[in-house]
Amino acid sequence: MSDKLTLSIDAMGGDDAPSMVIDGLKLAIEKDDTLRFILHGDEAQLVALLADKPALKDRCEIRHTDVAIPAEMKAPQAVRQGKKSSMWQAILSVRAKEAEGVVSAGNTGALMALSKMILKTLPGIHRPAIIALLPTESGLVVMLDLGGNTECTARNLVEFAVMGEVYARSIFNIEKPSVALLNIGSEDMKGREEIREAAAVIKDSQLALDFRGFVEGHDIGKGGVDVIVTDGFTGNVALKTVEGTAKLMSFFLKKAFRSTLLSRLGYLFAYGPLKKVKKMMDPRLYNGAMFIGLNGISVKSHGGTDALGFSVAVKQAATLARKNVLTHIRDEITHINGMLQDAPEQE
Amino acid sequence: MSDKLTLSIDAMGGDDAPSMVIDGLKLAIEKDDTLRFILHGDEAQLVALLADKPALKDRCEIRHTDVAIPAEMKAPQAVRQGKKSSMWQAILSVRAKEAEGVVSAGNTGALMALSKMILKTLPGIHRPAIIALLPTESGLVVMLDLGGNTECTARNLVEFAVMGEVYARSIFNIEKPSVALLNIGSEDMKGREEIREAAAVIKDSQLALDFRGFVEGHDIGKGGVDVIVTDGFTGNVALKTVEGTAKLMSFFLKKAFRSTLLSRLGYLFAYGPLKKVKKMMDPRLYNGAMFIGLNGISVKSHGGTDALGFSVAVKQAATLARKNVLTHIRDEITHINGMLQDAPEQE
């Protein structure tokens, strides 16, 4: 594989931390043994967990702290009081360039606030966004913003489009990912003002984006474009609606296969295919949302995930670092800043 | 059953109109023979279609017109030029009190614009909304607005909550439906300004609603509340995301069952349960979206539906009329208008 790569890990974040985190890292190095980790958390617990994992132990450096940000703590409180926490310290390792990215399964609001405060926003970017992958009929789609910003201007959406394109290029390894804006109709005159304005800006500014105009809710699962851009409110609702509907269908499937003796028999024969479908919709395999637009890679793992899910988030952080996503975003934004000067600014 | 009830039908709206419409009405009277219809459309075609359906023929009155609103016509054009169309005339029958509701599978934008123009908004309601039913783990949920208004004020959302509650009471036949606002978190401080304000207004105004605060995207499929209120942009994206995800899972299921010889065999055994699941997610069984908040019942059927789907929309219009939904909304709104006077107004 490639050169060594060090990631900073908030070992105390997540429902089953730190054991889930350590198990996740073990899985991660089984697939990529060039990874190195700086673990921020309770030393005694971490040493005990690493005791029977020599290969992982050799690749970890422990930085002790006995403070962890609780799951229910509000972001402003985390900013005021979280300085000694494993999360804060883990992000600091990125700013200090000891690590090329941070992964945490802890409190989302706190991670976002601390990442923004410590790493700062990239020059030219007005608002960072939450970006992640979702399953579609034709592979995966990159979607942002999934909850970072409840309201967005046209300028924000254009920046998201640029960042989403760079992210997709790195993750999918394709030359020219296609980008679309989420709307409630495909005609130019449909939808909210800021979306129509963003579409006009992208078209007029002759950005080198393969811009496909508007897509709708059903296109999220259909695929067809590589990147879907939306505001953080709509994106968050859409993401959770995908998860909810997948759960609903699993619920219906279970119920139907349990309904009669014959259907229970059917389940035995259908077991393989059903398991395959479950795997294709398995949120663990898409785990890891990046706060994109910051001076550093900060990846949020789902708090309730297991070792497999955490290892996927770790892998994602590593890929994004290796592909120099931040450098590419910096270049693109510098490149477009002139074109966008007429677009509305904020902050 | 109950007394006779007359509905006005846009016989020329929908991909397979008028034959799909007539077949749908035939199904509808098989389940409820108290229904009567005023059919607006091409007389020659309708007479021919009714020729071998004597029971339906006896229950229909044909009003000839050879104009139909095309599927791709923009709403403003329909308003300017659509006067002689089957859709316009069908809505007029409701205003003239010849019929207790109108059902059309035609152009959504045109039906909404014409319904609003001809029937007018109910006193006290600032914006009509699109309301419909969605499947959940615990039955059905009423959701609005599904696309009527891309931006909503707190006042709009409060009115939607009241209308949604009345609708749920009628359709579900329950005394006190629970109502929630769609948001991106359950805490009071989460989400957009207008949503938090609407929640505060509903709580403070001591409306007699069983108000459950905020729900999130995954709660749409989970059930747990009877009515979910949101703006028309978010609602439209969420609705289409549910449809898209259901399609995606069907796609994965098909693919998985086709993948090996054993899985093909499994499909034979799993056929019954899979069919049951397909039926539970079948959009035809939830067909029919009402434009709620107008002085008349106007129900939109999906344009691509078949006879079964159309009959469901017809049944819904009949139920809403029989339950006097409009009278109840009028009462509730009069009742709350005093309480809401401090809420922001518009239009």
Side-chain angles (χ1 to χ4, degrees), chain A residues 44-113:
Chain A
Q45 285 188 63
L46 295 174
V47 166
L49 287 165
L50 289 169
D52 60 347
K53 302 172 189 73
L56 178 59
K57 196 181 168 191
D58 284 353
R59 289 168 172 80
C60 289
E61 182 193 329
I62 298 174
R63 302 276 174 88
H64 175 72
T65 172
D66 47 14
V67 182
I69 304 264
E72 61 286 352
M73 186 182 270
K74 302 277 176 224
Q77 204 186 339
V79 167
R80 284 195 308 272
Q81 299 167 15
K83 198 154 190 173
K84 289 187 172 167
S85 67
S86 58
M87 186 188 281
W88 187 305
Q89 294 300 317
I91 303 168
L92 270 185
S93 286
V94 178
R95 192 176 71 183
K97 305 217 180 298
E98 295 179 301
E100 301 207 43
V102 55
V103 183
S104 172
N107 182 323
T108 310
L111 184 63
M112 191 158 57

Side-chain angles (χ1 to χ4, degrees), chain B residues 41-335:
Chain B
D42 186 282
E43 186 164 20
Q45 285 187 64
L46 295 174
V47 166
L49 287 164
L50 289 169
D52 60 347
K53 301 174 189 72
L56 178 60
K57 197 181 167 190
D58 284 353
R59 289 169 171 79
C60 289
E61 183 193 327
I62 299 174
R63 303 275 175 89
H64 175 72
T65 172
D66 48 14
V67 182
I69 305 264
E72 61 286 351
M73 186 182 269
K74 302 277 177 225
Q77 205 185 339
V79 167
R80 283 195 308 272
Q81 300 166 15
K83 199 153 190 174
K84 289 187 173 168
S85 67
S86 58
M87 187 187 282
W88 187 304
Q89 294 300 316
I91 302 168
L92 269 187
S93 287
V94 178
R95 192 176 71 184
K97 307 221 179 294
E98 295 179 302
E100 300 206 43
V102 54
V103 184
S104 172
N107 182 322
T108 309
L111 183 62
M112 191 158 55
L114 294 180
S115 296
K116 199 173 164 181
M117 185 190 67
I118 298 171
L119 300 175
K120 304 273 185 295
T121 308
L122 278 170
I125 297 290
H126 293 76
R127 297 275 193 100
I130 299 178
I131 189 165
L133 297 167
L134 273 82
T136 82
E137 289 186 19
S138 51
L140 296 166
V141 66
V142 168
M143 197 161 156
L144 78 166
D145 175 15
L146 297 174
N149 310 281
T150 49
E151 315 243 14
C152 292
T153 63
R155 165 85 202 209
N156 296 146
L157 295 172
V158 174
E159 290 174 7
F160 295 171
V162 170
M163 294 195 289
E165 200 240 9
V166 172
Y167 180 98
R169 221 187 299 149
S170 307
I171 292 279
F172 297 155
N173 231 341
I174 50 176
E175 195 63 32
K176 204 151 185 59
S178 53
V179 180
L181 289 162
L182 185 63
N183 203 342
I184 57 170
S186 51
E187 304 90 355
D188 280 355
M189 46 166 277
K190 280 270 187 174
R192 290 194 169 143
E193 176 67 24
E194 65 271 22
I195 302 173
R196 281 179 280 132
E197 199 178 318
V201 169
I202 293 174
K203 278 180 202 160
D204 295 349
S205 65
Q206 297 171 298
L207 282 172
L209 291 179
D210 177 8
F211 180 62
R212 302 286 176 89
F214 301 141
V215 292
E216 301 181 58
H218 50 250
D219 294 302
I220 300 172
K222 201 172 170 189
V225 290
D226 298 308
V227 182
I228 296 179
V229 175
T230 184
D231 67 88
F233 185 89
T234 310
N236 190 274
V237 168
L239 172 71
K240 288 175 179 163
T241 302
V242 168
E243 291 170 0
T245 309
K247 262 193 194 162
L248 175 64
M249 285 201 63
S250 304
F251 172 84
F252 283 155
L253 279 168
K254 262 181 217 153
K255 210 171 140 184
F257 276 108
R258 275 187 199 139
S259 58
T260 65
L261 212 73
L262 189 70
S263 66
R264 278 167 194 265
L265 183 71
Y267 181 71
L268 295 179
F269 284 90
Y271 182 75
L274 288 174
K275 215 178 152 183
K276 213 177 270 176
V277 173
K278 204 177 161 192
K279 197 178 159 182
M280 299 196 83
M281 296 297 292
D282 189 344
R284 295 177 304 169
L285 304 183
Y286 316 109
N287 190 33
M290 180 181 179
F291 298 128
I292 201 164
L294 301 176
N295 275 305
I297 290 167
S298 175
V299 169
K300 167 72 173 76
S301 158
H302 199 286
T305 198
D306 62 8
L308 175 62
F310 195 81
S311 76
V312 172
V314 167
K315 188 190 158 194
Q316 218 197 107
T319 305
L320 294 167
R322 286 220 163 92
K323 300 274 188 163
N324 297 309
V325 163
L326 300 188
T327 312
H328 292 311
I329 293 175
R330 252 184 232 121
D331 293 349
E332 299 278 340
I333 288 294
T334 315
H335 176 68

Side-chain angles (χ1 to χ4, degrees), chain A residues 209-231:
Chain A
L209 291 179
D210 178 7
F211 180 60
R212 303 285 176 90
F214 301 141
V215 292
E216 301 182 56
H218 50 250
D219 295 303
I220 300 172
K222 201 171 169 188
V225 290
D226 298 308
V227 182
I228 296 179
V229 175
T230 185
D231 66 88

Side-chain angles (χ1 to χ4, degrees), chain A residues 28 47 50 55 86 96 100 130 164 167 202-203 213 219 221 228 233 273 277 296 304-305 313-314 340-341 345:
Chain A
V47 166
L50 289 169
S86 58
E100 301 207 43
I130 299 178
Y167 179 100
I202 293 174
K203 278 179 204 161
D219 295 303
I228 296 179
F233 185 90
V277 173
T305 197
V314 167
L340 281 174
Q341 57 199 3
E345 298 271 334

